[in-house]
Amino acid sequence: MIRQIVQIGNPALREIASRVEEGEIASKKVQDLIDDLIETMRHANGAGLAATQIAEPYRVCVIEVNKNPRYPYKPDIPLTVLINPKVAFLTEERINVYEGCLSVPNLRGKVDRCPEVRIEGFDRDGQSLSFVAKGISAGTFQHELDHLDGLVFTDRMNDASSLSTIDEFAANYEEEFKQQVISIVKNYGS
Ligand code: ZN
């Protein structure tokens, strides 16, 4: 079912989401939540969606990038369902990249992200997952995991002056950002 995505200002976005008990992963409630997240993310052309964004306070998020019209420069990420995910930074390096969010409509802003992270958690079958994400894709995972701790990308901005509407971003910064993405993908492989 396509769910309503809550917007910045809604207290649900600020909740620290609760862990899903491992024994509950197979439950209809959790499986329906995952299906709703995938359907809602795809309907909105999101690169990811966290349960807090549909006002469900559980540590579940989904990520998928497949020639995304909202983010045409993002490298593809196959559909990934993460339950109780954790992130570990694997480098001191940071990249400063524009992000957007379905819960922060019409805005983009620059955020520092670690370009090499290990993500651990469970998939929807309850199998444990552990993988490394790099570059732009690493930022996408950090963005979604932040939502589970009640954070949105604007909280991570060091310099609010990069905040831009989508039209102003397209007119003034998108070309430069595309070049930056190309160089990040070259450096980190994704
Ligand atoms: Zn978001």
Side-chain angles (χ1 to χ4, degrees):
M1 184 170 63
I2 294 170
R3 304 278 294 268
Q4 191 189 347
I5 298 173
V6 298
Q7 311 275 278
I8 191 167
N10 189 306
L13 271 186
R14 298 307 190 171
E15 288 218 32
I16 310 288
S18 304
R19 285 179 61 82
V20 177
E21 296 298 327
E22 277 176 55
E24 290 290 308
I25 293 175
S27 69
K28 183 172 184 333
K29 181 180 145 182
V30 172
Q31 293 294 318
D32 284 352
L33 170 61
I34 292 166
D35 286 338
D36 287 358
L37 283 169
I38 295 168
E39 197 177 342
T40 306
M41 169 182 69
R42 287 177 172 167
H43 181 255
N45 288 321
L49 193 65
T52 48
Q53 292 181 274
I54 57 169
E56 297 274 9
Y58 301 102
R59 304 191 82 80
V60 181
C61 62
V62 298
I63 288 121
E64 182 180 45
V65 180
N66 182 10
K67 297 180 185 38
N68 189 305
R70 268 170 60 85
Y71 305 100
Y73 36 79
K74 266 187 195 273
D76 286 356
I77 304 174
L79 176 64
T80 306
V81 175
L82 292 172
I83 299 167
N84 302 336
K86 286 195 274 193
V87 60
F89 291 178
L90 302 179
T91 171
E92 302 279 304
E93 284 173 69
R94 296 294 179 268
I95 52 176
N96 187 244
V97 287
Y98 277 99
E99 292 190 5
C101 180
L102 294 171
S103 295
V104 185
N106 197 35
L107 289 174
R108 297 284 162 95
K110 280 180 128 175
V111 184
D112 277 342
R113 294 295 186 189
C114 180
E116 191 172 355
V117 296
R118 178 167 289 280
I119 304 288
E120 291 183 328
F122 295 93
D123 69 13
R124 70 180 302 167
D125 300 318
Q127 301 293 314
S128 53
L129 283 175
S130 176
F131 59 90
V132 172
K134 293 188 178 182
I136 298 290
S137 301
T140 303
F141 282 100
Q142 287 162 76
H143 177 118
E144 295 313 322
L145 268 60
D146 271 353
H147 277 302
L148 303 179
D149 290 322
L151 293 171
V152 295
F153 80 85
T154 48
D155 304 329
R156 294 284 195 194
M157 292 175 65
N158 294 324
D159 179 1
S161 71
S162 71
L163 207 58
S164 172
T165 66
I166 296 211
D167 284 350
E168 294 291 353
F169 171 74
N172 299 298
Y173 306 113
E174 191 161 22
E175 203 43 55
E176 179 192 322
F177 182 50
K178 277 184 196 161
Q179 297 309 314
Q180 184 195 9
V181 170
I182 289 167
S183 93
I184 290 169
V185 171
K186 210 165 128 192
N187 285 342
Y188 297 100
S190 64

